[in-house]
Amino acid sequence: MRNLTSLLAALLAITTVPASSDEGMWTFDAFPRDLLRRTHGVEITPQWLDRVRNSTVRLAGCTASFVSANGLILTNQHCAEGCLAQNSTRNKSLLKDGFFASSREKEVRCGTQVADVLVAVEDVTAQVNSATQSMDTSAANEARKKALTQIEQACEQATRAESQGGPLTCEAVDLYNGGQYFLYKYKRYTDVRLVFAPESAIASFGGDPDNFQFPRWWLDVAFMRAYGPDGKPASTPRYLKIDFAGPTVNELVFVSGHPAATNRLLTVSQLQTKRDIDLPQWLLRSSELRGRYIQFSKSGPEAERIVQGPLTNLENGIKFYRKELDALHDEAALQRKSAEEARLRTLVAADPKLASEVGDPWAEIEKTQQVLRTIAVPFGYLEAGAGFNSQLFRYARFIVRGVAERSKPNLQRLREFRDTALAHLEQQLGAAVPVYPELEQITLSLSLDRMREWLGPDHPVVRQILGKDSPDALAKRLIEGSKLADAALRIRLWNGNAQALEDSGDPMLQLVTLIEPESRALRKRYEDQVEAPLQKASKNLARARFAVLGTSVYPDATFTLRLNFGTVQGWVENGAAVQPFTTLQRAFERATGQEPFQIPDSWLKAKARLNPQTQFNLSTNNDILSGNSGSPLIDAKGNIVGIMFDGNIHSISGDFWFDEEKNRAIAVDPTIILEALKKVYAAGPLLKELGSS
Amino acid sequence: MRNLTSLLAALLAITTVPASSDEGMWTFDAFPRDLLRRTHGVEITPQWLDRVRNSTVRLAGCTASFVSANGLILTNQHCAEGCLAQNSTRNKSLLKDGFFASSREKEVRCGTQVADVLVAVEDVTAQVNSATQSMDTSAANEARKKALTQIEQACEQATRAESQGGPLTCEAVDLYNGGQYFLYKYKRYTDVRLVFAPESAIASFGGDPDNFQFPRWWLDVAFMRAYGPDGKPASTPRYLKIDFAGPTVNELVFVSGHPAATNRLLTVSQLQTKRDIDLPQWLLRSSELRGRYIQFSKSGPEAERIVQGPLTNLENGIKFYRKELDALHDEAALQRKSAEEARLRTLVAADPKLASEVGDPWAEIEKTQQVLRTIAVPFGYLEAGAGFNSQLFRYARFIVRGVAERSKPNLQRLREFRDTALAHLEQQLGAAVPVYPELEQITLSLSLDRMREWLGPDHPVVRQILGKDSPDALAKRLIEGSKLADAALRIRLWNGNAQALEDSGDPMLQLVTLIEPESRALRKRYEDQVEAPLQKASKNLARARFAVLGTSVYPDATFTLRLNFGTVQGWVENGAAVQPFTTLQRAFERATGQEPFQIPDSWLKAKARLNPQTQFNLSTNNDILSGNSGSPLIDAKGNIVGIMFDGNIHSISGDFWFDEEKNRAIAVDPTIILEALKKVYAAGPLLKELGSS
């Protein structure tokens, strides 16, 4: 049996460990320094790793890095979109016009933004596992969540006592879908301000048509600054220096950042659920919303201004998920996945002890997917938000649930309302951000309309909600009647009790309260019948993988810090080589004067002074994903030689597998940043802080 | 070998011949009278079949029947939608308001409509096959098309000589995907006028939410009239009488009509192309268009009026194809298909002579699907219309191609421009129908936008078309500049030559001419690399099926006349019985006063006089599909006992397979027609003509 196992393991190794030597989103504590030495002949020291980790910043959904000793943060313009929109009005769009604070006093607060730096990591797998031992499936799932909450709570209490700079933010992290648990400890900056962002017309030149394409010409760059609790710029002596010369072809480069969430370890039945249920449902709803946004944007310049941000985000999502769907329609790729699965099953079956321990996780996971398919529509519409796409509704549900949950002991709550999460949630709830009723009307009426279509007009909850109203009329009544656009009111309600919510008479709060029993019941059903057995089976699957393959396979991305390496390179498309660098000149050539190919006036005015040969964007074979947006591209010396902002069209399948030949990451070259700051934006103080002039 | 073959044939018979004894869309000449006698104990005579065939009418995309001796036609309101829209203006919508001609003089012409009655059928398989013998694949494909054109041409010439009432319309029909060819001969009425249609609010009460649902309350009924070339009502003595008592539960009922196109004989690889390519692409584009239409409709009552028809059609398509996609995501059903395929393959392999004759058609078909996947995007956008969704563009392409093709001999043309097709095409081209620039702007700018997205802004044709324009600006320029909304001009251009087209300076004609080389090249590539090998393989597959199964399997629907039988019955949904009849009372209960649940004023006023127990809609297990809309539901005596207008949600998978347990057809009960004509619409003359009062 032993021989067979080894033979099969060898066979398996060919396909399941990274196909490319450069593939892999490694945690810092398991970074394969030996592999790097073997494949690239380069030695990375623990000091190098420490410095990079300490300079890498996590933003909401993005990555960034410290680039000066005074808390200056470099990230993408599209990662600052929320901040730009929050500081815009109907009449003035920072997204469109860009922003530059010529002095620190003029830096504007990003109301909902925090910036996190990972300072320590602790393995808590044993603690979590012991808390759930010999329990039935759904009890184990609940106990697991409690254990995670408890571990986080204890961590914050301990660091509050130890630390002088305030407690650390502690987050429990699940790697390998329940195979390992870690406690991640972050230093959090809650005061983040905007320093610089270019006009969207150059930050995303070519807009949606060019998105996920390469060659590209996007100055997708923004600067922010972290401030301490004392209102002074944070002290960040271990920053990364930008090397404005940029990288060279074939240079070894690293990306440090937070890839959002990959699905490379999912089973085939889970991928099929994505292909058949999740992606089509989301894409069809979103395509309709895109149509409504676009038609709305044509009603006038104000409409165009206020819808720009949401539309850009939506189109980005549509392109991404549309290409994911295409990836999952690649039968050959799915068959490779099936074959890998079959091989792993054979290996497990060949080891009776292991087999009896882990059971048949593939079959168990498939069962959960069958259940998921039967509840996907009501769960999606009533609990997961598809039926109530509205910022006011989200505020309302958050307040109603938060008030109910916070009256319980910490360990009894829905996990999103655990004590350690509250400070950040309250910051988001209390931030004064504009809510545009016209956009609310579009998103809410559309989602109510689709809910009625998919649940049916005679569904009890639909009848209860709509009564004799049309979706349009109900949306209007809710949006006109609700006062939740007022941040101060939201915080008052959040700090009040259930009676105060009722007394407010706010129709959006009433709607949430009305559907709360049904939506909570759906959530419970989802947790017990899908999540709990899935947790159990996934954990057994991880165990089987560890037993056969060890941890030579990196864990799926989970928006936690990862490091990967690669080189600056293009690829071959339809037999033709795609070069890894673009230069400024071609951007001017492609400009049509019409959106989205309209070069901003500031650039047209500066054109004569600009060097047309300046390198603009570049491609590498680093293995990254959406949360890596804003990540520093780092050379072996530890200097920044690019800012990641996207991938090519083939990178989208990277959610499921890494296509060594065509998956490419895209970065802004520092040379265009220097050229722009100097000659277009005359951003002297900023350049000086960056050590250039 | 013989035994094995029989054994397998028996095995196969279980799954491939109709699972239900009531399944099947039979041609009239192969109607299974024996089966009917066996399963229902009822004898249908050749005279019965002749009469029903002679009274069944084919409309554009729909079915109808003669219901008086004076050419009166009964069909669905939604089959008269085109006519209603063509006779509407910005300020007055017949769709919304309904229509009733209180005398024959007031009946209005349906400009593009013709009405066809099938009078004879002739098997021409041998002729077609002999024309293509021992040719290579793409030559055979072209020879096949020429043979079909020649056969049709000869038929029209012969009937022109024979007949006194003008020549018959002759159409070559392909059954079993190339397994058989027939020549269908129709008597065609080119003057069709509108007599009656109710308000859309009652014709489709509950709108899109209720579409494809049951229970239902739709008065989806319209009357038209066929006129002869002499301008007098057509003489139709062999009409079907409406039995206003309606049918009873479990009564044996027949549907005569023209199911549009089923895909039940497709191979698994072809179904996968639909699932992965055709359906997602169409659905995503259409969902976005839906969003744009809806947002536009909110800009005012005029906008709402002019977009109603297109929006309703679009939403119907979205629901249908969305559910088709769901059907193709049913892994179990696809596995049954695969198993059937495997069994048929085994049977063919067991017969070496047959095997050597037919080869491996499944593998050959799969190869064509691979090619199709690689050209689907450019072919779809540049040739198949996805990139130029505009009525003016369609006129323009039709004129440009028509002028070019008609300068060639009949047999050398693209088949859609063969002589026998021209009269009807010219009628459509010359009909004065409104073209609304606002809607053109929406559909054209959206499709240009998506073309740029999917072909890429740097695709040579995209650059050629757009130049420095945005899709919006180009659409505007084309629509404002084109004069093709003028029917008389269109006919002049159609009758002119290429030089006259050029001289016109019409920008839409110029656009068509610009892209014509590329789009024709794509079409040629499609025909040679997909259509031709597919034709060959499908024909071999049909041959294999005939060899093993004979013609006990009915051919896929092809919008040709079919007859099927079933009974009035409900079904079981989630363990609860769905009753087969609805009554008027519940419609009033479900009315909310808001679209689409708004009962028209005419009904509210008549409410006190109406019998709330009147049967409204009913369900049967007849095997029908979209082109069956308007079909008469006929009892064993040959009387009309219902008008088919839809299926339940489970009927949509009927495109691919018949779900005996849940697939149900839906009809309007004649009792509600009588009640409405009498008490709501006071349609005395119409009732009198129908033999009631």
Side-chain angles (χ1 to χ4, degrees), chain B residues 120-139:
Chain B
V121 159
E122 190 184 323
D123 188 339
V124 295
T125 312
Q127 243 174 297
V128 177
N129 286 346
S130 77
T132 62
Q133 218 141 27
S134 45
M135 284 180 174
D136 79 30
T137 310
S138 65

Side-chain angles (χ1 to χ4, degrees), chain A residues 76-143:
Chain A
N76 293 146
Q77 181 265 4
H78 81 260
C79 295
E81 255 185 13
C83 183
L84 291 162
Q86 288 164 16
N87 287 289
S88 295
T89 66
R90 288 181 177 281
N91 303 314
K92 168 83 181 161
S93 165
L94 297 192
L95 211 54
K96 201 169 158 56
D97 302 340
F99 177 82
F100 175 50
S102 53
S103 68
R104 292 206 181 151
E105 296 70 44
K106 292 183 179 156
E107 293 172 6
V108 298
R109 181 84 186 261
C110 300
T112 59
Q113 191 62 268
V114 298
D116 294 332
V117 176
L118 181 63
V119 294
V121 159
E122 189 183 323
D123 188 338
V124 293
T125 312
Q127 243 176 297
V128 178
N129 285 347
S130 78
T132 61
Q133 216 141 29
S134 48
M135 285 181 174
D136 78 30
T137 310
S138 66
N141 190 32
E142 284 177 20

Side-chain angles (χ1 to χ4, degrees), chain A residues 275-276 284 287-288 290-292 295 298 322 329 331 450 453 458 468 470 472 590-591 594, chain B residues 275-276 284 287-288 290-292 295 298 322 329 331 450 453 458 468 470 472 590-591 594:
Chain A
R275 182 193 69 187
D276 301 350
L284 290 172
S287 293
E288 187 174 353
R290 181 191 205 178
R292 293 199 53 176
Q295 191 66 25
K298 296 185 192 306
R322 180 68 186 84
H329 283 149
E331 287 290 328
R450 287 309 137 256
E453 178 181 346
D458 297 318
K468 298 258 172 187
S470 69
D472 231 22
R590 291 179 87 237
Q594 297 225 36
Chain B
R275 183 194 69 187
D276 301 348
L284 290 172
S287 293
E288 186 175 353
R290 182 191 204 178
R292 294 201 52 177
Q295 191 66 25
K298 296 185 192 305
R322 180 69 185 87
H329 283 148
E331 286 289 327
R450 286 309 135 257
E453 178 181 346
D458 298 317
K468 299 257 170 187
S470 69
D472 232 22
R590 292 179 86 237
Q594 297 225 36

